Amino acid sequence: MSRYGEGRLDAVDAARALGLGLVYYGHFVEQTMYLQNPAATLQYKWIYSFHMILFFVLSGLIRGARPAVAPPKAFVASTWAGRIVPYLFFSLVLALFSLFLPGWFPIVDLSKPAGYLQATVATAMGFPLFCVPLWFVACLVSVECVHRLAGWALDTPRRILLAAAACYIGGYALNERYFFFGQNMSFWLLHEVPVVYAFYLIGVLLGRTRVLDRVGPGTAVGIFLVSAAAVHLTFDLNQGPFRYLQAVIILLSGHGHFLWFPFTALAGTCMVLALGVALQRSSFLTFLGRNGMILLAMNGVFYHFVNKPLAAWTLATFPGDGRTIFLVSAAVTVCSIAACVPVIHGLNQAIPQLVGKPRETGMFFGPLVRG
């Protein structure tokens, strides 16, 4: 697997970019689904069957490929500057946007000051109501804290697999018994950590064993095709139990079937990872992957302000069959990501420290983290 600047993994960056494309697509087709379109509902379920688990596996893979353990002080500084600062910065930016632009903010009513207070408290508790896509960052912070405390004991593949199995079984049972999110008992999604940590550990194992280094482009295409077929054949076999929507929603701890959920999630992860290996020489994809924090946060702009009216216009203008929904949603995804590119360049030049690159120097001040 080729590397560049600061030991980044090209295939992982490409896979992250592809996964973020699925996030953009999924959040647009979600709004089409809310307008009672069956084709959109099926596409939504397909994407949500694996796309968020993909990001936890990728995060674990990066951690496994870099086995050095940061001292506690350095870990806290890096987590604060590299995860929490962007989480707060982008939440604040979208909160300011909401003062001037009408938007779609589920759960909270921002037409009243009390709504802003509620959203601020929720953001501090790890549920970023001003920028909902950033919930992944909150959950990842919790996962990485757990791994910093427990990772020292997971020094063999056997221990990693046993820990992953135990976390998944225990976390699944816990969240089936208690609906923490629905009872306002969620704090930085700690209740969901056991489940997603299981997949994070799979990524750690992949990183430590350097499996991707042994996968060539031809093999990657084969893995992609087999994995895509597995996702297509199994995603709808997961019939729940879910929460609110009939699809896997990690934010709500709605996993569905005990076995079909992890099977399809891992198949989808293999599919995107394999495609990332095949496309790792794409400089555009690796660029997007390197700027994943910005791209994820920018999706909040489309999620809250663009997708709902655009989906309504789409169904009023075009046929509602599956092929048309796919083509329109893909076009919206490509255009949305393209619109983010100049923003990415601008933020990287002006304030990289606030958008996930705390060791870089911007136009106004120096690095937040040194060394």
Side-chain angles (χ1 to χ4, degrees):
M1 189 189 315
S2 59
R3 298 170 181 266
Y4 56 86
E6 299 187 3
R8 302 219 38 133
L9 307 179
D10 290 7
V12 174
D13 282 330
R16 185 184 295 111
L18 294 168
L20 285 165
L22 292 173
V23 170
Y24 275 70
Y25 187 106
H27 283 162
F28 176 75
V29 87
E30 174 184 0
Q31 292 297 334
T32 312
M33 175 185 68
Y34 290 152
L35 298 173
Q36 308 303 312
N37 182 275
T41 300
L42 199 63
Q43 293 179 25
Y44 178 87
K45 185 174 184 179
W46 190 90
I47 289 174
Y48 273 66
S49 68
F50 67 88
H51 82 312
M52 292 314 303
I53 292 303
L54 165 71
F55 292 109
F56 288 104
V57 174
L58 293 179
S59 298
L61 197 158
I62 293 294
R63 175 52 54 207
R66 302 171 183 169
V69 179
K73 185 177 180 179
F75 172 78
V76 171
S78 177
T79 299
W80 167 257
R83 302 276 193 245
I84 299 176
V85 166
Y87 172 89
L88 296 175
F89 171 74
F90 283 113
S91 293
L92 176 60
V93 169
L94 264 70
L96 293 175
F97 281 5
S98 71
L99 292 172
F100 306 100
L101 298 174
W104 182 70
F105 290 87
I107 301 176
V108 64
D109 179 9
L110 294 185
S111 66
K112 303 175 182 177
Y116 279 87
L117 177 60
Q118 179 187 349
T120 300
V121 171
T123 299
M125 296 287 286
F127 182 27
L129 288 179
F130 292 118
C131 187
V132 167
L134 288 179
W135 72 263
F136 169 76
V137 177
C139 192
L140 183 61
V141 166
S142 297
V143 167
E144 290 179 332
C145 288
V146 168
H147 188 67
R148 179 62 181 79
L149 294 173
W152 63 271
L154 306 176
D155 55 354
T156 66
R158 181 173 179 271
R159 288 187 176 185
I160 291 174
L161 289 174
L162 287 174
C167 285
Y168 176 70
I169 294 170
Y172 182 93
L174 175 69
N175 285 286
E176 283 300 300
R177 184 177 179 86
Y178 302 104
F179 186 18
F180 292 89
F181 186 88
Q183 297 172 317
N184 293 320
M185 296 172 59
S186 176
F187 180 77
W188 287 74
L189 284 93
L190 284 172
H191 60 280
E192 182 63 10
V193 165
V195 173
V196 295
Y197 185 49
F199 295 97
Y200 182 92
L201 288 177
I202 297 298
V204 169
L205 184 59
L206 291 175
R208 288 187 183 177
T209 55
R210 301 192 179 279
V211 171
L212 296 187
D213 290 342
R214 301 192 290 273
V215 178
T219 303
V221 172
I223 294 173
F224 167 77
L225 293 175
V226 172
S227 300
V231 173
H232 186 70
L233 293 172
T234 64
F235 82 99
D236 205 30
L237 294 178
N238 186 352
Q239 292 294 317
F242 297 120
R243 290 188 170 125
Y244 296 149
L245 299 173
Q246 292 302 302
V248 173
I249 303 179
I250 301 300
L251 176 60
L252 302 179
S253 298
H255 311 110
H257 193 275
F258 177 74
L259 295 177
W260 285 125
F261 159 60
F263 180 88
T264 307
L266 290 175
T269 296
C270 288
M271 176 183 70
V272 179
L273 260 177
L275 193 57
V277 172
L279 299 176
Q280 63 182 301
R281 295 187 181 278
S282 168
S283 59
F284 182 66
L285 284 180
T286 55
F287 164 78
L288 294 178
R290 292 196 305 272
N291 292 282
M293 178 69 79
I294 301 175
L295 200 57
L296 178 65
M298 284 296 297
N299 182 245
V301 175
F302 299 95
Y303 180 88
H304 291 291
F305 300 104
V306 177
N307 288 347
K308 183 177 180 178
L310 187 56
W313 175 84
T314 296
L315 287 185
T317 307
F318 299 104
D321 62 281
R323 182 173 179 272
T324 301
I325 294 298
F326 169 75
L327 292 174
V328 172
S329 299
V332 169
T333 297
V334 171
C335 292
S336 298
I337 291 176
C340 293
V341 171
V343 178
I344 291 172
H345 284 297
L347 290 174
N348 281 335
Q349 183 177 1
I351 48 171
Q353 312 93 322
L354 301 183
V355 296
K357 299 178 180 179
R359 289 178 170 81
E360 295 189 8
T361 298
M363 295 175 60
F364 307 107
F365 51 94
L368 298 182
V369 177
R370 300 183 183 275

